[in-house]
Amino acid sequence: MPQLWAGIDAGKTHHHCVVIDDGGARLFSQRVANDETDLLDLMGNVAVLSGGGEAVWAVDLNHGGAALLIALLAAHDQQLLYIPGRTVHHASRTYRGDGKTDAKDAAVIADQARMRRDLQPVRTGDDISVDLRILTARRTDKACDRTRAINRLRAQLLEYFPALEHAFDYSRSKAGLVLLTRYQTPDALRRLGQKRLHTWLKNQGTRSSADVAERAITAAKSQYTTVAVQRIGALMVAELAQEVLDIQNQLDALDTLIAERFREHHQAEIMLSMPGFGPLLGAEFFGAIGGDLAVFDSVDRLAGVAGLAPAPKDSGRIRGNHHRPRRYDRRLLRACYMAAMSSLRSSTASRTYYDRKRAEGKTHVQSVLSLARRRLNVLWAMLRDGTAYKPPGDLVASPA
């Protein structure tokens, strides 16, 4: 059994460490800078306190500001457990005192690590999975930036030219965005005319330029009133349209980079053989699990982390009352859910299982979640045994 437990309340510039013994007595409390030299000194002090015995470390962050600390502990073969911040927040209420300090949080982390046996070790992941986690997170940020820019563009365009705002789905129409970088007002479009607009769009390399030109001119002919905000609003629309196009180019470059890095993983082809998983969703999955299933005891544990294992909430005479868990990896759930959705179009087995759940009275979301849980069992076996997916030959699709 470990003799000492070291709890770390991690921060951006400084961490606070509290060390306790097996009786819960506080032996050491120190604020340390998030610097390699200071962290190595901290590890040396804890090693001296342990007297050659085992010390277990626990931290409330598994990336970000705690990344250097985690890397140093891993390099020195130290056992490190992860306690989510939400767990620390709720646990601290059971300790004496209403105050909140870094020292108290670190003591709570150390004491929880001493008492609990269900804490998981920190998953550092291999180099490829770490890269995929960073790249997919960056792609998510860029996708959100694109959505925000499109919403701002539509809101601005709606103030002075609502007909053109209704004419295109700017989240899908690249030609509509290219149009707005040059022509944003009804009078400018009417002066240009449909034929010249078609020629200009075609020279820009857009698709369906004739249809886009026709719809834009039709929108321009439906409004002859000039709204007061048109002059400045048109400038903002042109800027936002170019911003969306630039973000889309960045997304395309990220997709290429993610796909190339994903295919370097030794289990990439196994993942791609599973219906519904492509390079992007496969990269999100590997990034979320750290690239290795060894840290999970079973597929049930993986399902719990992914939020695919319903949590029972029974009380008194109420039995069988299940709800979605509150604590789970949302990125891992998204990868499993979106892959299950995609498999409905390409996998007969997935469609059959989904239709059966719908026939049982489950909603669309419940059926997809149930399918994702079922597929996780298959994916677990595939990655564990190193075998590609083989569709069951005895399943027949149910009539739509």
Side-chain angles (χ1 to χ4, degrees):
M1 291 292 293
Q3 296 179 356
L4 298 181
W5 284 264
I8 301 287
D9 180 43
K12 296 179 180 179
T13 60
H14 290 79
H15 309 315
H16 200 102
C17 177
V18 170
V19 180
I20 62 175
D21 59 16
D22 54 2
R26 187 178 301 191
L27 306 178
F28 178 86
S29 179
Q30 180 180 342
R31 187 170 184 258
V32 58
N34 190 13
D35 177 79
E36 181 174 350
T37 302
D38 292 344
L39 292 175
L40 289 175
D41 290 341
L42 171 66
M43 294 169 59
N45 293 334
V46 175
V48 171
L49 282 175
S50 65
E54 184 180 358
V56 175
W57 298 74
V59 67
D60 61 343
L61 287 177
N62 56 6
H63 59 277
L68 177 59
L69 172 67
I70 294 172
L72 290 174
L73 291 173
H76 290 79
D77 297 326
Q78 297 294 305
Q79 183 180 355
L80 178 60
L81 303 177
Y82 170 57
I83 303 180
R86 183 190 293 269
T87 302
V88 177
H89 171 71
H90 290 296
S92 63
R93 298 178 179 178
T94 63
Y95 290 79
R96 184 176 59 188
D98 294 333
K100 180 189 182 303
T101 64
D102 293 342
K104 179 182 178 181
D105 289 342
V108 171
I109 293 171
D111 200 38
Q112 290 293 304
R114 178 180 68 91
M115 295 186 298
R116 298 181 61 164
R117 296 294 179 265
D118 60 341
L119 299 177
Q120 292 293 313
V122 173
R123 307 193 303 269
T124 55
D126 54 57
D127 293 341
I128 295 178
S129 65
V130 171
D131 291 346
L132 292 176
R133 176 177 60 82
I134 295 174
L135 288 171
T136 53
R138 178 61 172 168
R139 189 189 187 281
T140 300
D141 292 340
K142 283 296 179 181
C144 293
D145 291 342
R146 181 178 181 272
T147 300
R148 283 191 291 267
I150 290 175
N151 290 339
R152 295 189 188 107
L153 182 149
R154 298 182 72 101
Q156 189 67 67
L157 193 59
L158 192 62
E159 289 194 33
Y160 72 91
F161 197 176
L164 190 59
E165 190 272 337
H166 301 328
F168 304 104
D169 181 1
Y170 294 102
S171 63
R172 298 174 179 271
S173 175
K174 181 179 179 180
L177 293 170
V178 173
L179 169 69
L180 291 179
T181 61
R182 184 71 177 271
Y183 305 102
Q184 312 89 23
T185 61
D187 49 345
L189 288 171
R190 286 194 301 269
R191 285 195 304 268
L192 183 65
Q194 181 173 336
K195 184 176 181 180
R196 285 190 293 173
L197 179 58
H198 173 210
T199 302
W200 181 81
L201 288 172
K202 188 175 181 181
N203 292 336
Q204 301 301 313
T206 61
R207 303 171 64 180
S208 305
S209 55
D211 178 63
V212 172
E214 180 182 359
R215 293 165 68 179
I217 297 301
T218 300
K221 291 180 178 179
S222 68
Q223 178 179 333
Y224 288 85
T225 302
T226 300
V227 184
V229 300
Q230 176 174 296
R231 185 177 67 86
I232 299 300
L235 296 176
M236 297 298 102
V237 166
E239 181 180 336
L240 287 167
Q242 187 60 53
E243 180 182 342
V244 175
L245 290 173
D246 293 341
I247 294 176
Q248 185 59 56
N249 292 333
Q250 296 173 16
L251 283 172
D252 294 340
L254 278 173
D255 289 347
T256 301
L257 187 58
I258 290 172
E260 292 175 353
R261 191 60 171 145
F262 168 75
R263 292 184 183 279
E264 295 177 8
H265 197 280
H266 67 282
Q267 291 185 315
E269 296 304 321
I270 297 176
M271 175 67 74
L272 292 178
S273 68
M274 184 72 169
F277 275 103
L280 292 180
L281 291 178
E284 287 192 16
F285 185 89
F286 281 146
I289 68 172
D292 188 7
L293 294 176
V295 296
F296 301 99
D297 299 332
S298 64
V299 66
D300 294 332
R301 174 60 184 167
L302 177 60
V305 173
L308 294 175
K313 289 192 176 181
D314 298 341
S315 179
R317 291 177 293 179
I318 299 177
R319 292 290 184 271
N321 189 20
H322 293 83
H323 296 270
R324 181 184 296 181
R326 293 183 179 180
R327 298 184 297 274
Y328 55 89
D329 191 323
R330 282 163 173 76
R331 295 179 62 188
L332 185 55
L333 174 62
R334 179 188 179 279
C336 295
Y337 185 90
M338 296 302 295
M341 281 281 293
S342 179
S343 70
L344 295 178
R345 300 189 298 268
S346 58
S347 172
T348 302
S350 294
R351 171 57 68 173
T352 301
Y353 185 86
Y354 171 84
D355 290 341
R356 184 166 77 246
K357 291 301 175 181
R358 291 305 304 271
E360 294 174 0
K362 297 185 182 298
T363 65
H364 168 72
V365 173
Q366 290 173 334
S367 300
V368 174
L369 287 173
S370 181
L371 173 62
R373 176 65 180 89
R374 182 70 172 268
R375 285 164 46 87
L376 195 62
N377 291 337
V378 179
L379 187 58
W380 172 277
M382 291 167 51
L383 297 176
R384 179 197 61 198
D385 301 335
T387 57
Y389 176 79
K390 295 180 180 179
D394 56 344
L395 289 179
V396 181
S398 61

